[in-house]
Amino acid sequence: MPCIQIEDLYKIYSTGDSEVRALDGISLMVERGEFLAIVGHSGSGKSTLMNMLGCLDVPTSGRYLLEGQDVSTLPDSRLSSIRNRQIGFVFQGFNLVPGLSALENVELPLLYRGIGREQRRRMAMESLRQVGLGDRVHHRPSEMSGGQQQRTAIARAIAAKPPLILADEPTGNLDTRAGEEVLGILQQLNADGHTVILITHDMGIAAAARRIVRIQDGRILDDRPAGAEAS
């Protein structure tokens, strides 16, 4: 069974007398353990597609099966539970709580899941060590570099060991070296068995993935292994 199976997905917004097709009949299959990059310019539909993949929004029509479950028409309460248990999110803006330490930031979603104090502390410490921040656990975001903040965000995303990692422009606020470190962590997470989907506008960043899907005007323009020539 694929991790993700999307069939003829549409997202249509009405604007007065006209309509905007943010997604225009997308079909896509992602196997478990893939590292896929979705690439497109601003307005291409890639952010809308990410919102669908992350169960942050529902399509106008079409089907989205996540681990075999059709999530296309589920209510938000069910989608929230799926997001919490099956998907780890990494965003361009880090989205850390300024007044909390790295450890507390990573623990926060585990707290929401009802995991006990000792277990969530252990899980948070393990994920921070995994991203190379075992010596920064008590630092607050203002005391860390951009790269360290993004690694903290990755630790938060993987602490509960979700099978799917969605990374939306994860290097967008980082310098080249820090960006390369973050991409290296995503590659290692993929090697460890996570399915990783990277959203980016930059083909150079997308080259870190093993498969590249280009999207334009809400449609898939190209789908090929990384390193293969575009059609």
Side-chain angles (χ1 to χ4, degrees), residues 15 20 24 32 40 68 73 76-77 85 103 106 137 163 181 186 221:
T15 57
V20 175
D24 193 8
R32 287 193 188 97
T73 58
D76 191 59
S77 57
R85 296 181 179 278
L103 183 62
V106 175
V137 297
E181 290 175 350
L186 292 175
L221 193 66

Side-chain angles (χ1 to χ4, degrees), residues 57-98:
D57 198 359
V58 293
T60 304
S61 64
R63 289 211 310 164
Y64 172 24
L65 279 69
L66 177 62
E67 297 291 351
Q69 180 180 11
D70 190 347
V71 299
S72 312
T73 58
L74 292 180
D76 191 59
S77 57
R78 293 282 305 280
L79 292 177
S80 177
S81 176
I82 289 169
R83 288 193 300 268
N84 199 19
R85 296 181 179 278
Q86 293 184 240
I87 306 171
F89 293 92
V90 182
F91 298 103
Q92 179 176 345
F94 315 143
N95 292 0
L96 302 176
V97 180

Side-chain angles (χ1 to χ4, degrees), residues 125-140:
M125 285 295 298
E126 180 184 344
S127 64
L128 283 164
R129 291 192 190 103
Q130 193 173 345
V131 299
L133 289 178
D135 59 345
R136 293 286 190 273
V137 297
H138 299 300
H139 287 60
R140 294 185 179 184

